Amino acid sequence: AFQNGTVELKDALRGMNLNVLVGAYNGSYFNYDDETGIDAAYPGIAASLLDELANRAGFTWRTTFGIFTDPRGAAFNETWTDVLTWGVENYDMNVDWWASNAERLSLG
């Protein structure tokens, strides 16, 4: 709708439910527990920013989000770039801090 001019950019996400991938590992900016979910008292800056963006843009995200943990453990054997690439391919938004490097830049 935005591309054909029937919706203004500021309203492009209004009414949508975005599938968001958020980092939930020790030291991340998202306070999440497998049993209790997002910490109600202090959800972390990632959730707070997402909530504010959702409020302003009119979208939701809390009903369909995924989390990722530190991929470097023996059980996962992946790199951070693997997680970033997978997240970009499978989610609408990937929320964490990501450093720019030559490998990632070459991926597009």
Side-chain angles (χ1 to χ4, degrees):
F2 167 72
Q3 290 177 330
N4 68 18
T6 59
V7 173
E8 291 184 57
L9 180 59
K10 68 180 182 67
D11 295 320
L13 297 177
R14 189 158 310 283
M16 296 183 75
N17 185 55
L18 297 185
N19 298 308
V20 178
L21 182 64
V22 187
Y25 51 88
N26 187 23
S28 73
Y29 301 102
F30 185 62
N31 291 330
Y32 179 83
D33 180 84
D34 287 336
E35 293 186 21
T36 59
I38 301 171
D39 187 309
Y42 182 70
I45 190 70
S48 296
L49 288 172
L50 279 168
D51 287 342
E52 184 61 26
L53 285 170
N55 182 51
R56 291 182 186 202
F59 67 85
T60 58
W61 70 274
R62 284 184 175 240
T63 57
T64 56
F65 68 92
I67 63 164
F68 65 88
T69 58
D70 190 332
R72 296 170 295 180
F76 300 108
N77 196 28
E78 295 178 319
T79 67
W80 285 106
T81 299
D82 294 334
V83 172
L84 176 58
T85 302
W86 177 81
V88 167
E89 292 172 353
N90 291 284
Y91 286 84
D92 299 317
M93 187 183 300
N94 191 321
V95 179
D96 203 26
W97 68 275
W98 296 101
S100 179
N101 64 35
E103 176 187 12
R104 294 175 188 161
L105 291 172
S106 72
L107 295 173

